[in-house]
Amino acid sequence: MSRTTTWLTAPLCLYFVGFVGIPLLLIFFISLHDTPAMTGIGIKGYIRFFSDAYNRGVLLDTLLLGVETTVIDILLGFPVAYLYVAAPRWRRFLMFMVLLPLLTSTVVRTFAWVVILGNHGLINTLLAQAGLIGTPLRLLYTPGAVAVAMAQIELPLMILPLITAIGGIDAHIIEASHVLGAGRWRTLRRIVLPLCVPGLLTGTLLVFTGAVSALVTQTLVGGGQLAFMPFYIYQQAIQAQDYPFAACVAIVLLMTILLIVSILNALGRRSAGYVHG
Amino acid sequence: MPPSSDTGQNAANIRLEGVSHRFGQTDVISDVSLDIADGEFVALLGPSGCGKSTLLRILAGLQEQTIGRVLIGERCVDGLPPRTRGVGIVFQNYALFPHMTALANVAYGLEAVGISRAEALVRARDALAGVQMTPFGERKPRALSGGQQQRVALARTLAIGPRILLLDEPLAALDKNLRLDMQLEIRRLQRALRITTVMVTHDQEEAMGMADRIAVLNAGCVEQFDTPEAIYDRPETLFVANFVGAANMLEAELQGGPEGFRLHLADGTLDLAKPAPASRPGRVQASIRPEHWSVAPADGEGPTATVSIVTPLGPSALVDLVLSDGRPCRFSFPRAQGVHLTPGDQIRLGLQPGAAIRLFV
Ligand SMILES: Nc1ncnc2c1ncn2[C@@H]1O[C@H](COP(=O)(O)OP(=O)(O)OP(=O)(O)O)[C@@H](O)[C@H]1O
Ligand SMILES: [Mg+2]
């Protein structure tokens, strides 16, 4: 890289140092205080977090939400991405539908789910009118509802990398599989799926990190009883005024995500290695 | 390597009957009819974009022709998917499965037709041995050279025992020496298996050296379908004469007389025994190959020319001439003849005895 191009990246570097790097260090520094009044340096906050089963539960629930969302998005996203690549005439329509959620604000999308899942919402009204239920089903404020709503919101981030991966497979490779006697199903399982593992990992990365950190959707669809890490941080910092402990929770979440991202990245590098010679 | 399906009852001759294909508004294949015998090696030769690959894909069932019929072993295969046609195809870029080892690539087709994995691996090893690739079975394609990938692709295709082998420019990506090796290798396998083969190429030497017969394609039409010798010695159309081998195209006037035919060029005359394929007196294009010329005595009737460049090419020499009307012309002769030409020499040209020059209207 020439000196000029190096210097051109300077504004971005400054931005990152100023608005990401320094705040992170600051949070880490705050997390190393033992009392809400920021006195006493130590790791009492971390010990407190991991010694309490409730806290560990919040962390696990959050990770579980990430996994559920990712699984739903893979199951929903793969067929759409495959259709997008296989049926050129549907492309404009499909891409519009895929991108639509990205073009509306998170708050609007989340309230749409509240309207659909609420006690007097779309689903309960329809079921009641059809005479299938007497009292409204409890749909909103359940973990399942959060995962479903989250999956819808994160879906484009799964579909787009999958489209790139499936679209990048040489058409001759698929044809070779067919001429060698493999049907559609075997070709899908033995050729297409393995070759789009890099795209799948990218999508997983984006969806998972998005799902575990989406405060608004988790809180509005999950309601007060379900606690996830982002809301827990908010609660500790704003309601309990315990900044050091809030910082601890934040750092724990961050480190967990970093760990998972590095594992996915390592897997991604290996799969990219065998897919692209 | 498993033998190709039994000959006899399962003869794999190919017949194309009036096949045409259009993509949208453009005609890519126009009324192609070909009869390819069981066990024959046919090359589809033509310039880029003339529809060679499309024709091959129609044979393979990867593309459905717009009009016409395709018959394999006297059975119409229109509408049948590739895997039920008994064809194997090797693509120009090999299309190996990048995430599988060479061995797994070869075993893939065997497993796909229901052979157990263990048995498929045994047969795949045999197939790799058949192309001298045994030591490379555990490598992924990206760890193989172009020539090795080519062999794996060939083994993968032959392992399933197709009745018909289709090759789409199989050697185009290889360097010259390797290409010659693979030409021999493919020819050897094809002969050993007696498998009907159609190979697409735009390299005429490759077509000449490998094929029993060559179909010369131009803009979606078959210009000529004949043996390599006939294609070279007796081109039926101006296009074939121009495309296959080097030829000097000269404007001329053909005159027929009682004592034979005479060809009047811009500044000289040549005697012809039997003009073909055009034989009616009148204006013609004469296709004269460089080796058809000879140096004639100075008082002859042939055209005169000035030597501009002499290029020794091993056993023969190629001479660039300028005819007296200013048009370039090429002449080649065996260097063993002891003729010595230097740039600037004025020579009179004649025809080699028996030179089969071709005339086109
Ligand atoms: N899927 C397609 N849609 C539209 N046009 C096509 C398609 N495939 C091929 N063509 C056109 O058909 C013509 C013949 O293509 P084809 O690939 O058969 O040529 P080719 O003889 O194999 O050329 P090359 O030697 O460059 O491979 C070309 O003009 C090409 O642009
Ligand atoms: Mg081609």
Side-chain angles (χ1 to χ4, degrees), chain A residues 51-91:
Chain A
S51 56
D52 186 338
Y54 174 79
N55 296 332
R56 293 198 302 267
V58 172
L59 179 61
L60 284 182
D61 282 349
T62 309
L63 297 181
L64 190 64
L65 171 67
V67 172
E68 286 169 350
T69 308
T70 308
V71 170
I72 295 174
D73 276 350
I74 290 174
L75 294 179
L76 293 179
F78 191 86
V80 177
Y82 191 78
L83 188 66
Y84 179 89
V85 175
R89 65 173 71 181
W90 286 87
R91 279 190 189 171

Side-chain angles (χ1 to χ4, degrees), chain B residues 23 28 47-54 169 202:
Chain B
F23 284 116
V28 173
S48 187
C50 69
K52 307 181 294 293
S53 296
T54 307
E169 309 216 22
H202 59 241

Side-chain angles (χ1 to χ4, degrees), chain B residues 153-298:
Chain B
L154 204 57
R156 181 177 73 174
T157 300
L158 291 174
I160 56 169
R163 296 188 292 161
I164 289 169
L165 177 62
L166 304 173
L167 306 164
D168 193 353
E169 309 216 22
L171 308 175
L174 305 181
D175 65 44
K176 189 159 176 118
N177 283 332
L178 198 52
R179 204 153 66 214
L180 294 176
D181 286 351
M182 285 306 296
Q183 284 179 10
L184 289 174
E185 181 84 20
I186 291 176
R187 196 65 181 124
R188 181 183 68 77
L189 284 168
Q190 191 267 336
R191 289 240 169 84
L193 300 171
R194 295 176 31 76
I195 183 173
T196 313
T197 302
V198 181
M199 179 182 76
V200 162
T201 178
H202 59 241
D203 179 340
Q204 41 168 301
E205 287 177 23
E206 193 170 290
M208 292 276 179
M210 297 175 75
D212 297 321
R213 281 196 293 167
I214 299 175
V216 182
L217 254 71
N218 177 32
C221 301
V222 175
E223 294 267 336
Q224 189 170 353
F225 183 36
D226 222 326
T227 61
E229 294 79 13
I231 296 269
Y232 188 83
D233 294 338
R234 296 183 298 281
E236 291 295 336
T237 67
L238 199 55
F239 176 83
V240 176
N242 258 321
F243 189 73
V244 180
N248 299 296
M249 287 295 162
L250 300 174
E251 301 267 338
E253 177 91 21
L254 179 67
Q255 279 190 347
E259 64 277 20
F261 290 87
R262 290 174 72 85
L263 197 62
H264 294 275
L265 299 165
D267 77 328
T269 315
L270 299 169
D271 284 326
L272 294 182
K274 176 166 101 236
S279 59
R280 286 237 308 279
R283 292 218 63 79
V284 292
Q285 292 264 355
S287 157
I288 305 178
R289 300 218 183 266
E291 68 271 21
H292 288 156
W293 293 120
S294 65
V295 180

Side-chain angles (χ1 to χ4, degrees), chain B:
Chain B
M1 188 164 303
S4 61
S5 308
D6 293 334
T7 44
Q9 66 167 58
N10 226 345
N13 58 323
I14 303 172
R15 197 149 86 231
L16 295 174
E17 292 179 349
V19 170
S20 297
H21 189 74
R22 39 191 345 172
F23 284 116
Q25 294 301 312
T26 39
D27 283 309
V28 173
I29 302 291
S30 309
D31 194 23
V32 166
S33 296
L34 290 176
D35 248 311
I36 298 171
D38 185 27
E40 195 175 19
F41 191 132
V42 167
L44 298 178
L45 176 67
S48 187
C50 69
K52 307 181 294 293
S53 296
T54 307
L55 200 54
L56 206 66
R57 293 169 59 79
I58 288 172
L59 276 177
L62 292 169
Q63 200 109 53
E64 187 75 25
Q65 71 272 19
T66 321
I67 312 173
R69 298 207 307 159
V70 179
L71 294 94
I72 293 178
E74 302 304 330
R75 193 164 76 103
C76 181
V77 293
D78 294 338
L80 291 186
R83 59 196 167 118
T84 57
R85 291 188 178 201
V87 301
I89 186 166
V90 176
F91 294 99
Q92 178 176 344
N93 64 357
Y94 318 137
L96 293 176
F97 307 128
H99 57 299
M100 297 182 190
T101 63
L103 192 63
N105 261 279
V106 180
Y108 182 84
L110 295 166
E111 285 176 50
V113 294
I115 294 169
S116 76
R117 171 158 294 194
E119 171 69 12
L121 285 177
V122 170
R123 290 215 218 163
R125 281 204 187 86
D126 287 349
L128 278 181
V131 292
Q132 285 90 49
M133 282 295 292
T134 305
F136 303 99
E138 294 310 317
R139 292 216 198 155
K140 296 270 174 68
R142 84 191 132 100
L144 296 172
S145 73
Q148 292 165 342
Q149 291 183 31
Q150 169 68 259
R151 286 165 191 269
V152 174
L154 204 57
R156 181 177 73 174
T157 300
L158 291 174
I160 56 169
R163 296 188 292 161
I164 289 169
L165 177 62
L166 304 173
L167 306 164
D168 193 353
E169 309 216 22
L171 308 175
L174 305 181
D175 65 44
K176 189 159 176 118
N177 283 332
L178 198 52
R179 204 153 66 214
L180 294 176
D181 286 351
M182 285 306 296
Q183 284 179 10
L184 289 174
E185 181 84 20
I186 291 176
R187 196 65 181 124
R188 181 183 68 77
L189 284 168
Q190 191 267 336
R191 289 240 169 84
L193 300 171
R194 295 176 31 76
I195 183 173
T196 313
T197 302
V198 181
M199 179 182 76
V200 162
T201 178
H202 59 241
D203 179 340
Q204 41 168 301
E205 287 177 23
E206 193 170 290
M208 292 276 179
M210 297 175 75
D212 297 321
R213 281 196 293 167
I214 299 175
V216 182
L217 254 71
N218 177 32
C221 301
V222 175
E223 294 267 336
Q224 189 170 353
F225 183 36
D226 222 326
T227 61
E229 294 79 13
I231 296 269
Y232 188 83
D233 294 338
R234 296 183 298 281
E236 291 295 336
T237 67
L238 199 55
F239 176 83
V240 176
N242 258 321
F243 189 73
V244 180
N248 299 296
M249 287 295 162
L250 300 174
E251 301 267 338
E253 177 91 21
L254 179 67
Q255 279 190 347
E259 64 277 20
F261 290 87
R262 290 174 72 85
L263 197 62
H264 294 275
L265 299 165
D267 77 328
T269 315
L270 299 169
D271 284 326
L272 294 182
K274 176 166 101 236
S279 59
R280 286 237 308 279
R283 292 218 63 79
V284 292
Q285 292 264 355
S287 157
I288 305 178
R289 300 218 183 266
E291 68 271 21
H292 288 156
W293 293 120
S294 65
V295 180
D299 60 350
E301 291 184 309
T304 53
T306 313
V307 175
S308 65
I309 306 170
V310 182
T311 318
L313 298 170
S316 67
L318 182 65
V319 184
D320 282 278
L321 302 167
V322 180
L323 295 173
S324 58
D325 62 354
R327 300 196 40 186
C329 181
R330 289 188 138 178
F331 161 42
S332 76
F333 62 92
R335 289 171 65 211
Q337 271 181 0
V339 181
H340 287 287
L341 293 175
T342 47
D345 286 356
Q346 292 271 343
I347 58 171
R348 190 174 286 279
L349 293 168
L351 289 180
Q352 291 283 358
I357 78 171
R358 303 288 283 178
L359 304 181
F360 302 98
V361 203

